[in-house]
Amino acid sequence: MPKRRLDVIDRRILAALQRDARLTNVQLAEEVNLSPSPCLRRVRQLEADGLIRGYHAELDRGGVGFGLTVFVGIKVERHHETQANAFREAVVALPEVVSAHLVSGESDFLLQVVVPDLAAYEHFLTGILLRLPGVTDIRSNFAIQTVKAHGSLPVERLGVTEESSVEETRRP
């Protein structure tokens, strides 16, 4: 839940920055129908509130040499909290792991791993993952094709009330 309620302008700002984080403040202000000063104040407040965590470049994984994406389900022993924390810390420190989630179901954790190729994954699996604290089972699923990645959050759909829906239909 957001720390504060987002109004229509905040949601437009967030949606625009997700589409293109390189917009100048003047371009962003024009897109959300504000003057530049209040627009900049809102962006700075969204940053201060932690709703905008940073600005990133989206890289072509294959183009930079990471041709294989693997989704790895991992089961861990749950006997010791110390061991569970050691596992989490170890996973966070691995640069090949681009996302890690505690999940329900067959696995305890789901990792998204990027490596150059199958040989590199075999080395990562046997040399690193299997040696992590508390690991009892690993299941690997290889991405054949990426259909959608790095999707934007649908912020413009948040908090839509009858009142804001009417306001949004009036905008040009």
Side-chain angles (χ1 to χ4, degrees):
M1 197 69 166
K3 294 178 182 177
R4 65 183 178 89
R5 186 169 179 184
L6 299 173
D7 65 16
V8 172
I9 300 294
D10 291 333
R11 291 193 306 270
R12 287 181 190 159
I13 289 170
L14 292 172
L17 289 174
Q18 284 187 108
R19 277 191 306 278
D20 183 0
R22 295 185 72 182
L23 288 172
T24 66
N25 183 58
V26 171
Q27 292 169 321
L28 179 61
E30 186 176 302
E31 187 168 328
V32 300
N33 296 321
L34 278 180
S35 59
S37 293
C39 182
L40 184 58
R41 276 195 299 275
R42 282 179 176 256
V43 169
R44 295 257 162 85
Q45 188 61 54
L46 291 165
E47 292 169 344
D49 289 346
L51 298 175
I52 297 175
R53 293 183 178 178
Y55 301 88
H56 310 278
E58 184 179 333
L59 305 180
D60 178 310
R61 290 179 181 184
V64 297
F66 293 101
L68 185 63
T69 300
V70 187
F71 297 94
V72 184
I74 299 181
K75 281 189 174 192
V76 296
E77 295 175 335
R78 296 191 178 223
H79 301 296
H80 303 286
E81 185 65 28
T82 304
Q83 195 169 35
N85 287 337
F87 174 82
R88 286 185 181 110
E89 289 173 16
V91 165
V92 168
L94 297 172
E96 296 88 350
V97 176
V98 295
S99 69
H101 308 272
L102 177 64
V103 296
S104 64
E106 290 184 23
S107 300
D108 298 314
F109 290 89
L110 182 62
L111 312 181
Q112 184 179 171
V113 173
V114 294
V115 289
D117 53 32
L118 190 55
Y121 180 67
E122 179 184 7
H123 176 73
F124 181 71
L125 174 66
T126 58
I128 297 173
L129 287 182
L130 287 170
R131 297 177 183 192
L132 292 177
V135 171
T136 60
D137 187 47
I138 295 179
R139 305 289 169 115
S140 303
N141 295 285
F142 298 90
I144 305 299
Q145 179 185 52
T146 300
V147 177
K148 180 178 181 179
H150 308 293
S152 297
L153 297 176
V155 292
E156 290 184 311
R157 295 185 184 198
L158 286 175
V160 176
T161 63
E162 201 172 303
E163 183 179 13
S164 63
S165 295
V166 169
E167 179 183 329
E168 289 183 1
T169 57
R170 290 183 188 154
R171 83 177 177 179

